[in-house]
Amino acid sequence: MTSPTEDPRTARTRAKLRAALLEECATRPLDEVGVAALVRRAGVGRATFYLHYPDLQALAVDACADVVREAVDALHAWRGTPDPAVPPPALPAFFTGLAPHAPLYRGLLRPGGGGPLGDLLHRELRAYSRRERELAGAPEPDLVASAVSAAFAGLLADWLHGLIDASPDRIAGRTWRLLIALHRTPMP
C-alpha cells in the first residue's frame, strides 16, 4: 500500500516485508513466525523491520489490507438496481481468492468479525457504504452502513473460521441477499 508521497525506498522495503510475511505464513501460522526468520527472508535488517512496523501484527494487517479493499470493491461492483438473486461476479471471485492466505486472515479476523483486520474492514466498508447511501439520498446512512459493515465482517470471519459451511459461490450469494435486504429494510 504505497501513497504518492511515500519514499520509493520505504515502499520497496515495506513491499519486501509484506511479501516475506505472506511467504512465511504460507507454511505456518502468524503466531509461529518470528521477526528473525522474516527479516532473513526479506533481506533486510531487524532494525529496518522495527523502523517500519512496531510488531508482526502491524505488518500482517498492512500485508492483508488489500483484501479489505477487494472486499469493499466486490460488494460495490454493480451499477443500477442490484439483483438480489445474483451477486456481482466480483463477490464470488473475492471469496474464492481468499484461499491462499486464509490461515493468515483467520489469525487477524476473529469469529464474529473482530480483530485487527475485522476492525479495518468494518471502518472502510462502513465509510464507503455511508458515502454511497448519502449520495443516493437513502435514509439512515449511518445506521444501515453500520449494519452492512458489521454483518459482512461477521459473515466473512465466521466463514473463514468454518462456522458457516458453504462454498465460495454459495456464501457470496447468501451474503449478497442479506446485505441487499439490509439496504432495503424500510426505516421509520
Side-chain angles (χ1 to χ4, degrees), residues 97-141:
L98 295 173
H101 302 298
L104 178 57
Y105 301 145
R106 280 191 294 272
L108 298 170
L109 187 62
R110 289 190 301 272
L117 196 58
D119 295 344
L120 179 62
L121 176 59
H122 187 270
R123 276 193 314 273
E124 290 201 13
L125 182 54
R126 185 183 186 284
Y128 193 106
S129 294
R130 184 181 189 286
R131 187 171 53 253
E132 290 294 306
R133 284 190 71 80
E134 283 181 335
L135 288 172
E140 301 284 352

mmCIF file of all heavy atoms in Angstrom, residues 97-141:
data_model
loop_
_atom_site.group_PDB
_atom_site.id
_atom_site.type_symbol
_atom_site.label_atom_id
_atom_site.label_comp_id
_atom_site.label_asym_id
_atom_site.label_seq_id
_atom_site.Cartn_x
_atom_site.Cartn_y
_atom_site.Cartn_z
ATOM 1 N N GLY A 97 -10.871 -16.179 -3.934
ATOM 2 C CA GLY A 97 -9.488 -15.708 -3.858
ATOM 3 C C GLY A 97 -8.894 -15.668 -2.459
ATOM 4 O O GLY A 97 -7.697 -15.427 -2.304
ATOM 5 N N LEU A 98 -9.691 -15.923 -1.442
ATOM 6 C CA LEU A 98 -9.178 -15.885 -0.070
ATOM 7 C C LEU A 98 -8.347 -17.110 0.295
ATOM 8 O O LEU A 98 -7.538 -17.066 1.216
ATOM 9 C CB LEU A 98 -10.339 -15.759 0.922
ATOM 10 C CG LEU A 98 -11.125 -14.459 0.848
ATOM 11 C CD1 LEU A 98 -12.348 -14.542 1.758
ATOM 12 C CD2 LEU A 98 -10.254 -13.281 1.220
ATOM 13 N N ALA A 99 -8.538 -18.208 -0.408
ATOM 14 C CA ALA A 99 -7.931 -19.489 -0.040
ATOM 15 C C ALA A 99 -6.419 -19.447 0.186
ATOM 16 O O ALA A 99 -5.955 -19.988 1.193
ATOM 17 C CB ALA A 99 -8.292 -20.554 -1.071
ATOM 18 N N PRO A 100 -5.617 -18.831 -0.681
ATOM 19 C CA PRO A 100 -4.169 -18.909 -0.483
ATOM 20 C C PRO A 100 -3.675 -18.349 0.865
ATOM 21 O O PRO A 100 -2.684 -18.823 1.399
ATOM 22 C CB PRO A 100 -3.593 -18.094 -1.639
ATOM 23 C CG PRO A 100 -4.654 -18.092 -2.678
ATOM 24 C CD PRO A 100 -5.957 -18.143 -1.926
ATOM 25 N N HIS A 101 -4.356 -17.365 1.399
ATOM 26 C CA HIS A 101 -3.904 -16.747 2.648
ATOM 27 C C HIS A 101 -4.935 -16.869 3.769
ATOM 28 O O HIS A 101 -4.875 -16.140 4.751
ATOM 29 C CB HIS A 101 -3.547 -15.274 2.414
ATOM 30 C CG HIS A 101 -2.485 -15.084 1.378
ATOM 31 N ND1 HIS A 101 -1.216 -15.579 1.510
ATOM 32 C CD2 HIS A 101 -2.533 -14.487 0.166
ATOM 33 C CE1 HIS A 101 -0.513 -15.287 0.433
ATOM 34 N NE2 HIS A 101 -1.284 -14.634 -0.400
ATOM 35 N N ALA A 102 -5.875 -17.797 3.622
ATOM 36 C CA ALA A 102 -6.940 -17.957 4.626
ATOM 37 C C ALA A 102 -6.409 -18.135 6.047
ATOM 38 O O ALA A 102 -6.951 -17.526 6.978
ATOM 39 C CB ALA A 102 -7.874 -19.092 4.239
ATOM 40 N N PRO A 103 -5.359 -18.928 6.279
ATOM 41 C CA PRO A 103 -4.871 -19.056 7.666
ATOM 42 C C PRO A 103 -4.414 -17.712 8.260
ATOM 43 O O PRO A 103 -4.680 -17.425 9.423
ATOM 44 C CB PRO A 103 -3.701 -20.034 7.553
ATOM 45 C CG PRO A 103 -4.002 -20.839 6.327
ATOM 46 C CD PRO A 103 -4.665 -19.859 5.384
ATOM 47 N N LEU A 104 -3.768 -16.898 7.448
ATOM 48 C CA LEU A 104 -3.336 -15.587 7.932
ATOM 49 C C LEU A 104 -4.549 -14.704 8.226
ATOM 50 O O LEU A 104 -4.610 -14.043 9.263
ATOM 51 C CB LEU A 104 -2.430 -14.913 6.905
ATOM 52 C CG LEU A 104 -1.931 -13.511 7.249
ATOM 53 C CD1 LEU A 104 -1.174 -13.494 8.572
ATOM 54 C CD2 LEU A 104 -1.051 -12.980 6.120
ATOM 55 N N TYR A 105 -5.527 -14.704 7.337
ATOM 56 C CA TYR A 105 -6.731 -13.909 7.567
ATOM 57 C C TYR A 105 -7.445 -14.356 8.843
ATOM 58 O O TYR A 105 -7.914 -13.526 9.618
ATOM 59 C CB TYR A 105 -7.703 -13.998 6.385
ATOM 60 C CG TYR A 105 -7.124 -13.543 5.065
ATOM 61 C CD1 TYR A 105 -7.493 -14.159 3.874
ATOM 62 C CD2 TYR A 105 -6.202 -12.497 4.990
ATOM 63 C CE1 TYR A 105 -6.966 -13.754 2.661
ATOM 64 C CE2 TYR A 105 -5.666 -12.095 3.789
ATOM 65 C CZ TYR A 105 -6.053 -12.723 2.624
ATOM 66 O OH TYR A 105 -5.531 -12.321 1.421
ATOM 67 N N ARG A 106 -7.507 -15.669 9.059
ATOM 68 C CA ARG A 106 -8.134 -16.178 10.288
ATOM 69 C C ARG A 106 -7.403 -15.689 11.531
ATOM 70 O O ARG A 106 -8.024 -15.446 12.562
ATOM 71 C CB ARG A 106 -8.179 -17.711 10.282
ATOM 72 C CG ARG A 106 -9.298 -18.275 9.450
ATOM 73 C CD ARG A 106 -9.470 -19.771 9.690
ATOM 74 N NE ARG A 106 -8.338 -20.549 9.230
ATOM 75 C CZ ARG A 106 -8.188 -21.034 7.996
ATOM 76 N NH1 ARG A 106 -9.124 -20.812 7.090
ATOM 77 N NH2 ARG A 106 -7.140 -21.748 7.669
ATOM 78 N N GLY A 107 -6.093 -15.546 11.437
ATOM 79 C CA GLY A 107 -5.323 -15.054 12.576
ATOM 80 C C GLY A 107 -5.578 -13.592 12.885
ATOM 81 O O GLY A 107 -5.357 -13.138 14.010
ATOM 82 N N LEU A 108 -6.040 -12.842 11.897
ATOM 83 C CA LEU A 108 -6.257 -11.403 12.071
ATOM 84 C C LEU A 108 -7.731 -11.020 12.142
ATOM 85 O O LEU A 108 -8.062 -9.867 12.387
ATOM 86 C CB LEU A 108 -5.613 -10.644 10.902
ATOM 87 C CG LEU A 108 -4.106 -10.792 10.766
ATOM 88 C CD1 LEU A 108 -3.646 -10.198 9.443
ATOM 89 C CD2 LEU A 108 -3.385 -10.153 11.934
ATOM 90 N N LEU A 109 -8.594 -11.993 11.893
ATOM 91 C CA LEU A 109 -10.040 -11.752 11.841
ATOM 92 C C LEU A 109 -10.707 -12.805 12.711
ATOM 93 O O LEU A 109 -10.806 -13.962 12.323
ATOM 94 C CB LEU A 109 -10.510 -11.865 10.386
ATOM 95 C CG LEU A 109 -11.930 -11.511 10.026
ATOM 96 C CD1 LEU A 109 -12.221 -10.047 10.343
ATOM 97 C CD2 LEU A 109 -12.169 -11.761 8.545
ATOM 98 N N ARG A 110 -11.117 -12.410 13.896
ATOM 99 C CA ARG A 110 -11.724 -13.362 14.840
ATOM 100 C C ARG A 110 -13.171 -13.675 14.459
ATOM 101 O O ARG A 110 -13.831 -12.876 13.785
ATOM 102 C CB ARG A 110 -11.686 -12.767 16.256
ATOM 103 C CG ARG A 110 -10.296 -12.705 16.840
ATOM 104 C CD ARG A 110 -10.319 -12.350 18.315
ATOM 105 N NE ARG A 110 -10.947 -11.079 18.604
ATOM 106 C CZ ARG A 110 -10.324 -9.908 18.612
ATOM 107 N NH1 ARG A 110 -9.055 -9.840 18.352
ATOM 108 N NH2 ARG A 110 -10.975 -8.813 18.896
ATOM 109 N N PRO A 111 -13.675 -14.837 14.908
ATOM 110 C CA PRO A 111 -15.089 -15.127 14.671
ATOM 111 C C PRO A 111 -15.951 -13.951 15.140
ATOM 112 O O PRO A 111 -15.659 -13.323 16.156
ATOM 113 C CB PRO A 111 -15.337 -16.376 15.522
ATOM 114 C CG PRO A 111 -14.013 -17.052 15.580
ATOM 115 C CD PRO A 111 -13.004 -15.913 15.642
ATOM 116 N N GLY A 112 -16.954 -13.646 14.372
ATOM 117 C CA GLY A 112 -17.809 -12.508 14.686
ATOM 118 C C GLY A 112 -17.357 -11.229 14.011
ATOM 119 O O GLY A 112 -18.083 -10.240 13.980
ATOM 120 N N GLY A 113 -16.133 -11.217 13.467
ATOM 121 C CA GLY A 113 -15.662 -10.049 12.723
ATOM 122 C C GLY A 113 -14.723 -9.131 13.455
ATOM 123 O O GLY A 113 -14.344 -8.095 12.917
ATOM 124 N N GLY A 114 -14.312 -9.483 14.673
ATOM 125 C CA GLY A 114 -13.371 -8.642 15.407
ATOM 126 C C GLY A 114 -11.944 -8.895 14.957
ATOM 127 O O GLY A 114 -11.686 -9.591 13.989
ATOM 128 N N GLY A 115 -11.020 -8.320 15.688
ATOM 129 C CA GLY A 115 -9.607 -8.468 15.360
ATOM 130 C C GLY A 115 -9.135 -7.313 14.509
ATOM 131 O O GLY A 115 -9.933 -6.535 13.982
ATOM 132 N N PRO A 116 -7.825 -7.186 14.342
ATOM 133 C CA PRO A 116 -7.299 -6.016 13.620
ATOM 134 C C PRO A 116 -7.754 -5.926 12.170
ATOM 135 O O PRO A 116 -8.044 -4.835 11.684
ATOM 136 C CB PRO A 116 -5.780 -6.188 13.719
ATOM 137 C CG PRO A 116 -5.550 -7.586 14.148
ATOM 138 C CD PRO A 116 -6.779 -8.052 14.850
ATOM 139 N N LEU A 117 -7.864 -7.048 11.466
ATOM 140 C CA LEU A 117 -8.329 -6.992 10.087
ATOM 141 C C LEU A 117 -9.830 -6.731 10.034
ATOM 142 O O LEU A 117 -10.316 -6.003 9.169
ATOM 143 C CB LEU A 117 -7.981 -8.293 9.355
ATOM 144 C CG LEU A 117 -8.053 -8.244 7.843
ATOM 145 C CD1 LEU A 117 -7.131 -7.172 7.279
ATOM 146 C CD2 LEU A 117 -7.708 -9.600 7.252
ATOM 147 N N GLY A 118 -10.564 -7.281 10.985
ATOM 148 C CA GLY A 118 -12.005 -7.022 11.061
ATOM 149 C C GLY A 118 -12.303 -5.569 11.356
ATOM 150 O O GLY A 118 -13.230 -4.985 10.774
ATOM 151 N N ASP A 119 -11.516 -4.971 12.235
ATOM 152 C CA ASP A 119 -11.699 -3.554 12.550
ATOM 153 C C ASP A 119 -11.461 -2.690 11.319
ATOM 154 O O ASP A 119 -12.229 -1.760 11.041
ATOM 155 C CB ASP A 119 -10.762 -3.123 13.684
ATOM 156 C CG ASP A 119 -11.071 -3.804 15.000
ATOM 157 O OD1 ASP A 119 -12.171 -4.387 15.147
ATOM 158 O OD2 ASP A 119 -10.198 -3.781 15.897
ATOM 159 N N LEU A 120 -10.395 -3.005 10.580
ATOM 160 C CA LEU A 120 -10.098 -2.253 9.359
ATOM 161 C C LEU A 120 -11.211 -2.441 8.323
ATOM 162 O O LEU A 120 -11.674 -1.472 7.715
ATOM 163 C CB LEU A 120 -8.752 -2.712 8.780
ATOM 164 C CG LEU A 120 -8.298 -2.052 7.485
ATOM 165 C CD1 LEU A 120 -8.110 -0.540 7.677
ATOM 166 C CD2 LEU A 120 -7.015 -2.703 6.990
ATOM 167 N N LEU A 121 -11.651 -3.679 8.147
ATOM 168 C CA LEU A 121 -12.736 -3.958 7.206
ATOM 169 C C LEU A 121 -13.996 -3.200 7.593
ATOM 170 O O LEU A 121 -14.638 -2.567 6.750
ATOM 171 C CB LEU A 121 -13.018 -5.464 7.161
ATOM 172 C CG LEU A 121 -14.197 -5.905 6.295
ATOM 173 C CD1 LEU A 121 -14.007 -5.491 4.842
ATOM 174 C CD2 LEU A 121 -14.378 -7.415 6.397
ATOM 175 N N HIS A 122 -14.353 -3.231 8.871
ATOM 176 C CA HIS A 122 -15.554 -2.535 9.339
ATOM 177 C C HIS A 122 -15.464 -1.035 9.047
ATOM 178 O O HIS A 122 -16.401 -0.442 8.515
ATOM 179 C CB HIS A 122 -15.759 -2.784 10.836
ATOM 180 C CG HIS A 122 -17.048 -2.254 11.345
ATOM 181 N ND1 HIS A 122 -17.184 -0.972 11.834
ATOM 182 C CD2 HIS A 122 -18.273 -2.812 11.427
ATOM 183 C CE1 HIS A 122 -18.434 -0.777 12.202
ATOM 184 N NE2 HIS A 122 -19.118 -1.879 11.963
ATOM 185 N N ARG A 123 -14.342 -0.414 9.384
ATOM 186 C CA ARG A 123 -14.182 1.039 9.160
ATOM 187 C C ARG A 123 -14.302 1.396 7.679
ATOM 188 O O ARG A 123 -15.019 2.321 7.310
ATOM 189 C CB ARG A 123 -12.822 1.508 9.685
ATOM 190 C CG ARG A 123 -12.771 1.817 11.131
ATOM 191 C CD ARG A 123 -11.506 2.575 11.528
ATOM 192 N NE ARG A 123 -10.282 2.037 10.962
ATOM 193 C CZ ARG A 123 -9.559 1.059 11.516
ATOM 194 N NH1 ARG A 123 -9.946 0.500 12.635
ATOM 195 N NH2 ARG A 123 -8.442 0.655 10.942
ATOM 196 N N GLU A 124 -13.565 0.659 6.832
ATOM 197 C CA GLU A 124 -13.540 1.016 5.409
ATOM 198 C C GLU A 124 -14.883 0.729 4.728
ATOM 199 O O GLU A 124 -15.350 1.526 3.930
ATOM 200 C CB GLU A 124 -12.388 0.312 4.705
ATOM 201 C CG GLU A 124 -11.061 0.900 5.155
ATOM 202 C CD GLU A 124 -9.922 0.645 4.207
ATOM 203 O OE1 GLU A 124 -10.151 0.226 3.054
ATOM 204 O OE2 GLU A 124 -8.784 0.888 4.623
ATOM 205 N N LEU A 125 -15.483 -0.399 5.040
ATOM 206 C CA LEU A 125 -16.773 -0.734 4.437
ATOM 207 C C LEU A 125 -17.862 0.210 4.933
ATOM 208 O O LEU A 125 -18.703 0.659 4.156
ATOM 209 C CB LEU A 125 -17.147 -2.189 4.723
ATOM 210 C CG LEU A 125 -18.452 -2.685 4.104
ATOM 211 C CD1 LEU A 125 -18.492 -2.444 2.606
ATOM 212 C CD2 LEU A 125 -18.636 -4.158 4.425
ATOM 213 N N ARG A 126 -17.842 0.533 6.215
ATOM 214 C CA ARG A 126 -18.836 1.458 6.767
ATOM 215 C C ARG A 126 -18.732 2.826 6.097
ATOM 216 O O ARG A 126 -19.731 3.419 5.699
ATOM 217 C CB ARG A 126 -18.675 1.603 8.277
ATOM 218 C CG ARG A 126 -19.764 2.471 8.884
ATOM 219 C CD ARG A 126 -19.552 2.672 10.383
ATOM 220 N NE ARG A 126 -20.682 3.373 10.946
ATOM 221 C CZ ARG A 126 -20.901 4.687 10.811
ATOM 222 N NH1 ARG A 126 -20.074 5.442 10.118
ATOM 223 N NH2 ARG A 126 -21.971 5.243 11.352
ATOM 224 N N ALA A 127 -17.505 3.321 5.952
ATOM 225 C CA ALA A 127 -17.307 4.640 5.332
ATOM 226 C C ALA A 127 -17.797 4.633 3.886
ATOM 227 O O ALA A 127 -18.486 5.563 3.455
ATOM 228 C CB ALA A 127 -15.837 5.037 5.404
ATOM 229 N N TYR A 128 -17.473 3.597 3.143
ATOM 230 C CA TYR A 128 -17.883 3.522 1.743
ATOM 231 C C TYR A 128 -19.405 3.422 1.639
ATOM 232 O O TYR A 128 -20.036 4.134 0.859
ATOM 233 C CB TYR A 128 -17.222 2.318 1.073
ATOM 234 C CG TYR A 128 -17.332 2.338 -0.435
ATOM 235 C CD1 TYR A 128 -16.236 2.632 -1.226
ATOM 236 C CD2 TYR A 128 -18.534 2.061 -1.080
ATOM 237 C CE1 TYR A 128 -16.336 2.649 -2.608
ATOM 238 C CE2 TYR A 128 -18.636 2.074 -2.455
ATOM 239 C CZ TYR A 128 -17.536 2.367 -3.212
ATOM 240 O OH TYR A 128 -17.630 2.397 -4.577
ATOM 241 N N SER A 129 -20.000 2.523 2.431
ATOM 242 C CA SER A 129 -21.456 2.333 2.389
ATOM 243 C C SER A 129 -22.197 3.605 2.794
ATOM 244 O O SER A 129 -23.202 3.968 2.183
ATOM 245 C CB SER A 129 -21.865 1.182 3.311
ATOM 246 O OG SER A 129 -21.370 -0.027 2.833
ATOM 247 N N ARG A 130 -21.698 4.258 3.814
ATOM 248 C CA ARG A 130 -22.323 5.506 4.280
ATOM 249 C C ARG A 130 -22.296 6.563 3.176
ATOM 250 O O ARG A 130 -23.292 7.213 2.883
ATOM 251 C CB ARG A 130 -21.611 6.010 5.525
ATOM 252 C CG ARG A 130 -22.248 7.242 6.114
ATOM 253 C CD ARG A 130 -21.469 7.703 7.361
ATOM 254 N NE ARG A 130 -22.180 8.734 8.051
ATOM 255 C CZ ARG A 130 -22.274 9.995 7.635
ATOM 256 N NH1 ARG A 130 -21.718 10.362 6.504
ATOM 257 N NH2 ARG A 130 -22.954 10.876 8.331
ATOM 258 N N ARG A 131 -21.134 6.710 2.559
ATOM 259 C CA ARG A 131 -20.970 7.696 1.488
ATOM 260 C C ARG A 131 -21.920 7.384 0.322
ATOM 261 O O ARG A 131 -22.577 8.282 -0.204
ATOM 262 C CB ARG A 131 -19.511 7.689 1.027
ATOM 263 C CG ARG A 131 -19.140 8.761 0.059
ATOM 264 C CD ARG A 131 -17.633 8.837 -0.208
ATOM 265 N NE ARG A 131 -17.036 7.575 -0.600
ATOM 266 C CZ ARG A 131 -16.231 6.828 0.180
ATOM 267 N NH1 ARG A 131 -15.930 7.224 1.396
ATOM 268 N NH2 ARG A 131 -15.723 5.702 -0.264
ATOM 269 N N GLU A 132 -22.016 6.121 -0.065
ATOM 270 C CA GLU A 132 -22.900 5.728 -1.160
ATOM 271 C C GLU A 132 -24.369 6.001 -0.825
ATOM 272 O O GLU A 132 -25.126 6.462 -1.665
ATOM 273 C CB GLU A 132 -22.712 4.240 -1.495
ATOM 274 C CG GLU A 132 -21.375 3.925 -2.146
ATOM 275 C CD GLU A 132 -21.239 4.543 -3.521
ATOM 276 O OE1 GLU A 132 -22.118 4.309 -4.371
ATOM 277 O OE2 GLU A 132 -20.250 5.259 -3.739
ATOM 278 N N ARG A 133 -24.765 5.705 0.405
ATOM 279 C CA ARG A 133 -26.160 5.960 0.813
ATOM 280 C C ARG A 133 -26.464 7.453 0.817
ATOM 281 O O ARG A 133 -27.538 7.869 0.412
ATOM 282 C CB ARG A 133 -26.454 5.350 2.179
ATOM 283 C CG ARG A 133 -26.623 3.836 2.104
ATOM 284 C CD ARG A 133 -27.148 3.257 3.389
ATOM 285 N NE ARG A 133 -28.542 3.581 3.647
ATOM 286 C CZ ARG A 133 -29.585 2.969 3.092
ATOM 287 N NH1 ARG A 133 -29.403 2.004 2.222
ATOM 288 N NH2 ARG A 133 -30.820 3.312 3.410
ATOM 289 N N GLU A 134 -25.512 8.241 1.297
ATOM 290 C CA GLU A 134 -25.725 9.695 1.301
ATOM 291 C C GLU A 134 -25.853 10.221 -0.122
ATOM 292 O O GLU A 134 -26.732 11.043 -0.401
ATOM 293 C CB GLU A 134 -24.584 10.403 2.024
ATOM 294 C CG GLU A 134 -24.685 10.299 3.522
ATOM 295 C CD GLU A 134 -23.565 11.035 4.230
ATOM 296 O OE1 GLU A 134 -22.476 11.226 3.641
ATOM 297 O OE2 GLU A 134 -23.781 11.407 5.395
ATOM 298 N N LEU A 135 -24.978 9.771 -1.020
ATOM 299 C CA LEU A 135 -25.040 10.225 -2.419
ATOM 300 C C LEU A 135 -26.358 9.841 -3.079
ATOM 301 O O LEU A 135 -26.879 10.579 -3.909
ATOM 302 C CB LEU A 135 -23.871 9.640 -3.222
ATOM 303 C CG LEU A 135 -22.498 10.223 -2.921
ATOM 304 C CD1 LEU A 135 -21.414 9.430 -3.641
ATOM 305 C CD2 LEU A 135 -22.435 11.697 -3.320
ATOM 306 N N ALA A 136 -26.905 8.685 -2.704
ATOM 307 C CA ALA A 136 -28.168 8.220 -3.277
ATOM 308 C C ALA A 136 -29.376 8.827 -2.579
ATOM 309 O O ALA A 136 -30.506 8.641 -3.016
ATOM 310 C CB ALA A 136 -28.247 6.691 -3.187
ATOM 311 N N GLY A 137 -29.147 9.565 -1.482
ATOM 312 C CA GLY A 137 -30.252 10.140 -0.733
ATOM 313 C C GLY A 137 -31.052 9.092 0.027
ATOM 314 O O GLY A 137 -32.215 9.317 0.375
ATOM 315 N N ALA A 138 -30.440 7.940 0.304
ATOM 316 C CA ALA A 138 -31.129 6.862 1.029
ATOM 317 C C ALA A 138 -31.214 7.216 2.513
ATOM 318 O O ALA A 138 -30.339 7.883 3.055
ATOM 319 C CB ALA A 138 -30.382 5.545 0.843
ATOM 320 N N PRO A 139 -32.271 6.762 3.173
ATOM 321 C CA PRO A 139 -32.445 7.095 4.587
ATOM 322 C C PRO A 139 -31.438 6.358 5.481
ATOM 323 O O PRO A 139 -30.923 5.304 5.117
ATOM 324 C CB PRO A 139 -33.878 6.633 4.896
ATOM 325 C CG PRO A 139 -34.164 5.577 3.885
ATOM 326 C CD PRO A 139 -33.386 5.947 2.662
ATOM 327 N N GLU A 140 -31.218 6.945 6.641
ATOM 328 C CA GLU A 140 -30.409 6.332 7.696
ATOM 329 C C GLU A 140 -29.040 5.833 7.224
ATOM 330 O O GLU A 140 -28.683 4.676 7.439
ATOM 331 C CB GLU A 140 -31.183 5.177 8.348
ATOM 332 C CG GLU A 140 -32.500 5.560 8.960
ATOM 333 C CD GLU A 140 -32.365 6.296 10.290
ATOM 334 O OE1 GLU A 140 -31.242 6.398 10.845
ATOM 335 O OE2 GLU A 140 -33.395 6.768 10.787
ATOM 336 N N PRO A 141 -28.234 6.701 6.632
ATOM 337 C CA PRO A 141 -26.943 6.221 6.126
ATOM 338 C C PRO A 141 -26.038 5.657 7.224
ATOM 339 O O PRO A 141 -25.366 4.654 7.001
ATOM 340 C CB PRO A 141 -26.323 7.437 5.454
ATOM 341 C CG PRO A 141 -27.075 8.611 5.965
ATOM 342 C CD PRO A 141 -28.425 8.115 6.363
#
